[in-house]
Amino acid sequence: MTYSTVRPHARRVLWLTAGAAALALAACSPPADKKTDAPAPSASSPAAAPAATADKFVMPKVPAGDYKLDPAHASLEFKVNHLGFSHYTARFSDFDAKLKFDPANPSASSVEATIDPKSLTLPNPPAGFKDELTGKAWFDTAQYPTITFRSTKVEVTGANTAKVTGDFTLHGVTKPVVLDATFNGGYAGHPMDPHARIGFSAKGTFNRSEFGMGFGVPAPGTTMGVGDAVEVTIEAEFSGPPLADAKAPAAAPAQ
């Protein structure tokens, strides 16, 4: 089958990636705001607690250890250019990630992620469109039922940012992909959430044709088709070690 014989809706296709984010970081210094003179504290004023200033990121007191994705607070979307007219956006609903996190040494952190391509979720798809995308011409989920990402390097790039390089396996092909990740913060735990929690955002781009997914890529110099470049956006929260002083739930009263 050639691209010209494919039904119009099939040209709207997409591609994806995945992977998850892993990092967090130490303090660094963007430019400070213009200084203003503050009144000196009086003897009766309470001592001010240490705080994050405008020019310095402060790492939350979160423990090192193993963290697991909270799927209720995570999303994995991708965009691909369609005919040069729009960036078609879709997502995967079934994915998981495991993170080894070291706030004292973010470069030693690592992440592994898996995606079920059959969980492809499309906006208002025409009848049969998802079946076509998960079929042989595109994802071929019968032969390649899993997409994976395993980090190989975490490079700190700023106060709360890093580049996460990893082996990305898609359609039976493994190649390195780089994610630009941002550490959004976290805490050691809370009485209503007695485990450490941290959150990340990540973005990355790859060419699907490099993974054997070149169907429908426009001819050079044209936009008639589905773009080669796939843009991926990840939002993820992870749950980690239990709160050190978390109390065991009270026993139910005897009947």
Side-chain angles (χ1 to χ4, degrees), residues 18-22 69 96-98 111-113 149 151 164 179 181 202 234 236 238:
L69 183 72
D96 197 8
K98 295 179 181 179
V111 64
E112 294 186 7
F149 179 89
S151 66
V164 181
L179 298 174
I234 301 163
F238 291 82

Side-chain angles (χ1 to χ4, degrees), residues 21-47:
L23 71 226
L25 315 38
C28 229
S29 304
D33 293 334
K34 185 170 66 176
K35 291 184 178 180
T36 57
D37 294 332
S42 66
S44 60
S45 300

Side-chain angles (χ1 to χ4, degrees), residues 89-248:
T89 304
R91 62 172 55 199
F92 291 88
S93 60
D94 187 357
F95 57 96
D96 197 8
K98 295 179 181 179
L99 169 67
K100 289 186 179 296
F101 182 65
D102 185 354
N105 183 17
S107 296
S109 299
S110 63
V111 64
E112 294 186 7
T114 59
I115 304 167
D116 181 356
K118 294 187 296 296
S119 71
L120 178 65
T121 302
L122 308 172
N124 302 309
F129 189 38
K130 179 176 177 178
D131 291 340
E132 191 161 358
L133 295 181
T134 56
K136 283 188 172 295
W138 300 96
F139 286 98
D140 196 359
T141 58
Q143 185 170 353
Y144 307 110
T146 306
I147 300 168
T148 63
F149 179 89
R150 292 182 174 86
S151 66
T152 57
K153 180 181 179 182
V154 176
E155 178 187 2
V156 175
T157 57
N160 65 332
T161 59
K163 289 187 178 296
V164 181
T165 302
D167 290 332
F168 179 55
T169 300
L170 169 67
H171 206 252
V173 179
T174 300
K175 288 182 175 291
V177 166
V178 179
L179 298 174
D180 291 311
T182 299
F183 175 61
N184 297 323
Y187 55 50
H190 184 277
M192 296 182 68
D193 182 17
H195 287 78
R197 179 174 291 270
I198 53 180
F200 299 89
S201 301
K203 294 183 178 181
T205 303
F206 68 91
N207 290 332
R208 61 187 178 91
S209 62
E210 295 180 5
F211 294 84
M213 295 287 296
F215 184 73
V217 171
T222 77
T223 58
M224 182 54 66
V226 178
D228 196 6
V230 180
E231 301 176 27
V232 182
T233 302
I234 301 163
E235 297 292 338
E237 292 185 22
F238 291 82
S239 182
L243 187 63
D245 57 353
K247 296 180 180 179

